[in-house]
Amino acid sequence: MTEHLDSDGLDASDVEYYESDDTSANGCATCGAAIVDTYYEVNGRLICPTCQQNMAQSLQGGSRFIRFVSASFLGLVAAVIGAGIYFAVAALTGYEIGLVAIVVGLLVGGGVRIGARARGGWFYQTLAIVLTYFSIVATYVPTLFKASADQAMSDVANETRQIARIIVHHDDSISLDGNTVTLEDLKPPLEHLASVGGIVWYHREGIRDAGPSDAANAVGNTIEGVGLPYVVFVDDHFERPESTWAMATRGGPLAQAFILVLAFIFALAVPFLSLPASYMGLIIIGIALYSAWKINLRQHISIAGPYQL
């Protein structure tokens, strides 16, 4: 009897072979025990009936969903670690070393294989490839995010439309373009500014030290009430914006997350945008993806027997 089983129904990681020092002893390749009468063959290696029975029971069944979750989780963890290694190498050397991508492929492929209990096959190969590519392109996101922020703030700095500079001081006093005003005095010029399509540059003293005061909340509500966009600055000279995007402050963390998603989507295309100059980078990425794919190849295990010694 010969069984041809593949890793879709088997956990090949449970197959361990014991190399006997005495090759003439007809020892079981799994447990090393002497074979005295009946034996089986697993991919050409002799195993005893007990190991064959245990192997058949342990290598079949199991939950595919649990394997998928485990493979996805461990693969994702490996992808994060791989991206971290990339950033660490770049920080220590000052260079972006493309060969690190191959290490990422090996890490992610290994993580998926362990999580899938070495089942392999096209599904886990696809999962490994996707996670590897995501890990590699994720290293471009911080640069893209910063470039987008710099461009946005450059656009703001070069605005030709009218700008109102508002400061809320520690004592809750309010200044508009260098002149002290009350909250009631603030609304009419802001309404005019909104009518001509202006923008507000805003600074609150101690913005990093404490939460907004009542005066700061009132000014913010007034600015938003008249429908003006505004940019938050960390200094009262309006040179270093705290916001990384012109409208990110109004949207808060949700807007920041949206910008990061856009940066990641754009990062997916980065390896292809500078062709043909970046062909070597694509080759290295291809090797990394191949490494992750190869690690998760489906294993075919052939069990033949029983035979008499």
Side-chain angles (χ1 to χ4, degrees):
M1 176 185 69
T2 301
E3 293 183 79
H4 294 283
L5 303 173
D6 58 42
S7 55
D8 184 55
L10 301 175
D11 184 351
S13 64
D14 288 338
V15 181
E16 298 180 359
Y17 295 111
Y18 171 83
E19 295 291 345
S20 174
D21 293 334
D22 183 4
T23 56
S24 64
N26 292 328
C28 173
T30 301
C31 68
I35 297 176
V36 296
D37 48 20
T38 304
Y39 68 92
Y40 291 80
E41 287 188 359
V42 177
N43 289 357
R45 294 176 180 261
L46 275 63
I47 64 171
C48 64
T50 301
C51 287
Q52 184 274 336
Q53 185 177 5
N54 293 336
M55 185 181 300
Q57 293 176 353
S58 63
L59 297 184
Q60 296 184 22
S63 171
R64 292 188 176 184
F65 176 75
I66 292 178
R67 289 197 299 270
F68 164 72
V69 172
S70 178
S72 300
F73 174 75
L74 292 181
L76 183 60
V77 170
V80 172
I81 293 174
I85 292 175
Y86 176 90
F87 284 122
V89 171
L92 293 174
T93 65
Y95 298 97
E96 296 182 359
I97 302 176
L99 292 177
V100 176
I102 299 176
V103 177
V104 174
L106 295 173
L107 283 174
V108 175
V112 171
R113 179 178 176 82
I114 293 173
R117 295 189 61 80
R119 295 302 172 100
W122 69 266
F123 179 82
Y124 295 112
Q125 289 174 292
T126 303
L127 177 63
I129 288 175
V130 170
L131 289 177
T132 299
Y133 190 71
F134 280 4
S135 177
I136 293 171
V137 301
T139 60
Y140 306 138
V141 171
T143 302
L144 293 173
F145 187 86
K146 184 178 184 300
S148 299
D150 291 344
Q151 181 61 48
M153 297 319 305
S154 176
D155 293 342
V156 171
N158 296 324
E159 284 282 359
T160 57
R161 57 181 174 174
Q162 295 186 33
I163 299 172
R165 296 169 176 82
I166 298 177
I167 301 176
V168 178
H169 301 276
H170 283 298
D171 58 2
D172 284 349
S173 61
I174 305 168
S175 64
L176 172 62
D177 293 329
N179 301 312
T180 301
V181 297
T182 64
L183 189 62
E184 291 73 18
D185 297 333
L186 186 63
K187 189 172 182 180
L190 291 184
E191 289 176 340
H192 171 73
L193 188 65
S195 67
V196 297
I199 187 172
V200 172
W201 288 8
Y202 173 76
H203 168 70
R204 175 172 60 83
E205 290 184 348
I207 192 170
R208 290 178 171 175
D209 303 326
S213 63
D214 292 340
N217 285 329
V219 169
N221 291 335
T222 301
I223 296 172
E224 293 186 357
V226 298
L228 275 170
Y230 65 93
V231 183
V232 176
F233 288 75
V234 297
D235 63 293
D236 56 7
H237 297 291
F238 300 100
E239 294 177 353
R240 297 179 60 193
E242 181 185 50
S243 172
T244 55
W245 194 272
M247 300 300 293
T249 302
R250 294 188 66 186
L254 184 61
Q256 297 277 356
F258 179 70
I259 296 168
L260 282 174
V261 170
L262 290 180
F264 182 77
I265 292 174
F266 185 74
L268 296 174
V270 165
F272 303 95
L273 294 180
S274 55
L275 287 173
S278 64
Y279 74 93
M280 280 303 299
L282 277 178
I283 291 175
I284 292 174
I285 291 176
I287 295 174
L289 299 181
Y290 173 76
S291 299
W293 172 83
K294 186 177 181 180
I295 289 175
N296 287 278
L297 282 172
R298 185 187 301 278
Q299 291 189 354
H300 295 275
I301 300 175
S302 175
I303 301 178
Y307 301 112
Q308 294 297 317
L309 187 64

